[in-house]
Amino acid sequence: MFLCYIRAQSTAKDNDMSELSQITFVFETVCTADCKFYFLVGYSKWNNYLVEQWKGRNRKQSYSYLIQSNNTVSFTWTFQRAEEFSMERNISTDAAKIYSIHITNVIGGVASQCRRCAVTSDKTESSCVPCPPGHYMVNATGACESCPPNTYIRASHPVGKAACVQCGPNTKRNRAHTACLSDCTFRVQTGEEAVQTYDFSPLSNVTGFTSSPRFTNRGLRYFHHFNLNLCGTEVRYRVAASCVDNVTESGKVVKGYVCQSTVVPSDIRSQSMVSSQPFIIGDSLIEICSINRKTHRVCDLCRSSDTTQACKQGRSATVRLRCNPTTNIKDGIMLPSKCSEGTCDGCTFHFLWESQHACPLCTTDHYREIVSACIQGIQKTTYVWQQPLQCYGGESLPPQKVSACVTLDFWLKFGVSIGLIAAVLLISISCYFWKKTRKLQYKYSRLMMTSGGKECELPTADSCAIMEGEDAEDDLMDLTHKSFFTKIKSFSRERTSDGFDSVPLKSSSRHQQEEEEEEED
């Protein structure tokens, strides 16, 4: 089963009910059994009403149908062979032929095409429907299969897996599965973890610009006017760039991502601007890519399916965006210097868009901090942008931060104080050990005196340890009654020539006498 349809709209007024429009077609059916040929009329794609049907074989004839409502109407022809199957019957010759279709009083001409019906469980006479969005029709069976993710359906050829077209890098399929769109954001991986994010939302509106003036052989000045729509969401995509023809009565309008028309200044005619010869340069978005990370260039590539004799592959446009944070205008679009009309071959167009909105969004990596000296216990931290600045929007500079600190003078005073304390402690320890050494020298000299002056012979002692109270007795000797400087002076004066110290000692008889006197007292 095949479906052929024509859409038409009447130009007559509603009050003229005699005849708004008429459709006439010439057809013929060749059948060897009970085949059927249907003619249906509908006011939507899903609802068709049976107007006339023919069974079996019908000779070549003409049929006319009057349209009496001022609405858009669709006409459908279906041909169905007999449902009963016979081994003896050859149904390959059964066919329905439509020789011509003529419609009167139609706006904008008539478009006609034929498409294959999808297999459906509904067996009504109007059950021929297309595949759902995102599905293609299998050639052999007529069944509908789902396309891979992030693909759209080629409208010109919705049959076979080739109808599924993969969306380009950094683009996403729309909800209707008919085109690829961009949400005006773009991300580039600059390192293992660093990511630069672009936001082209301010550039998504339709922007128009003109080339340098051109002159005809008669001196008439004209321009090439371009309209550009870089990106957009589902809603914004409907507001496409458009170019019109306001010279002829046809009023031709073309819409897409990029279009061009020839414009004549207003001083030539009474109109504000004369525009003619509009054509589409790009009506589908191919990809969004990064060209050079050092100069922060991003490209937006779109293509047009409108083919000509010179452009057999269609036209294409490449929009390069250059980061310039100092440019505050959105329409800073330039054409190539070698090709002042935007193209050198008439098929491939190049545009350079320099804007601050073409810069990546600023992050914490785009600024650095400067820490001031500690002045009166206060330290300031200021944030400045890295130069040259290659970002716009995004993160803003943090405010100046003030914190408490300790000056260098404090640490210097603290160090000097610690040094003096350490010096006093060291001197005290030295004096303590010097005094201990003097006591040991005294004890050694006493042992030498009690040994009888014989070398290598020491007196017999009951114990090697110091007797209890001996230290107390030593402390009461003459050395303890002398001052520190007197002891040092006498020590230097009493040293003999053989290197030994001469220390006055009490005799044993005198010592015994003193003990007896103490007992009597």
Side-chain angles (χ1 to χ4, degrees), residues 467-477 480:
M467 299 302 293
E468 183 178 0
E470 188 173 358
D471 290 338
E473 183 182 357
D474 294 341
D475 293 337
L476 297 174
M477 296 183 66
T480 59

Side-chain angles (χ1 to χ4, degrees), residues 245-426:
D245 180 3
N246 58 10
V247 177
T248 62
E249 295 181 355
S250 63
K252 181 180 179 182
V253 180
V254 295
K255 294 182 179 181
Y257 281 96
V258 185
C259 64
Q260 176 188 330
S261 61
T262 302
V263 180
V264 180
S266 59
D267 56 352
I268 304 300
R269 297 180 61 177
S270 59
Q271 296 178 345
S272 60
M273 186 66 69
V274 178
S275 177
S276 63
Q277 301 177 359
F279 63 91
I280 286 291
I281 299 176
D283 57 5
S284 60
L285 184 63
I286 304 300
E287 65 174 327
I288 298 179
C289 59
S290 175
I291 299 177
N292 192 339
R293 296 177 183 176
K294 294 182 179 179
T295 57
H296 295 279
R297 286 191 180 184
V298 180
C299 74
D300 188 288
L301 179 62
C302 54
R303 186 180 300 276
S304 172
S305 57
D306 185 14
T307 60
T308 62
Q309 184 177 1
C311 306
K312 296 181 179 180
Q313 302 297 327
R315 298 183 179 92
S316 63
T318 302
V319 182
R320 290 177 171 84
L321 291 93
R322 178 189 293 173
C323 172
N324 188 352
T326 60
T327 304
N328 55 5
I329 57 175
K330 295 195 303 181
D331 54 350
I333 304 177
M334 295 174 286
L335 300 174
S337 57
K338 296 182 180 180
C339 307
S340 57
E341 295 185 0
T343 178
C344 296
D345 56 3
C347 300
T348 304
F349 291 78
H350 296 274
F351 308 99
L352 177 61
W353 198 340
E354 192 174 74
S355 173
Q356 58 186 359
H357 301 291
C359 300
L361 298 180
C362 294
T363 62
T364 55
D365 297 331
H366 290 94
Y367 61 80
R368 59 188 179 93
E369 61 178 19
I370 299 177
V371 181
S372 65
C374 185
I375 302 175
Q376 296 180 353
I378 298 176
Q379 190 174 45
K380 297 180 180 180
T381 303
T382 307
Y383 298 90
V384 296
W385 294 112
Q386 298 278 6
Q387 297 297 329
L389 182 61
Q390 292 293 334
C391 68
Y392 181 80
E395 294 282 345
S396 58
L397 281 177
Q400 189 181 59
K401 185 170 61 176
V402 179
S403 58
C405 62
V406 180
T407 61
L408 183 61
D409 296 340
F410 171 80
W411 292 110
L412 182 61
K413 295 177 181 178
F414 180 77
V416 171
S417 301
I418 294 297
L420 291 175
I421 294 173
V424 172
L425 183 61
L426 182 61

Side-chain angles (χ1 to χ4, degrees), residues 431-462:
C431 294
Y432 171 77
F433 283 105
W434 178 83
K435 186 176 181 180
K436 296 290 291 184
T437 304
R438 288 287 297 164
K439 289 182 178 181
L440 292 175
Q441 289 179 351
Y442 165 74
K443 294 176 181 178
Y444 177 76
S445 301
R446 185 176 179 182
L447 291 174
M448 290 298 295
M449 292 294 294
T450 57
S451 62
K454 296 180 180 181
E455 295 182 359
C456 301
E457 183 177 351
L458 294 175
T460 304
D462 296 336

Side-chain angles (χ1 to χ4, degrees), residues 27-31 37 54-61:
F27 72 98
E28 178 187 5
T29 60
V30 180
C31 299
F37 181 63
W54 295 267
K55 296 181 180 181
R57 183 182 181 91
N58 295 274
R59 61 178 177 81
K60 186 177 181 180
Q61 57 184 294

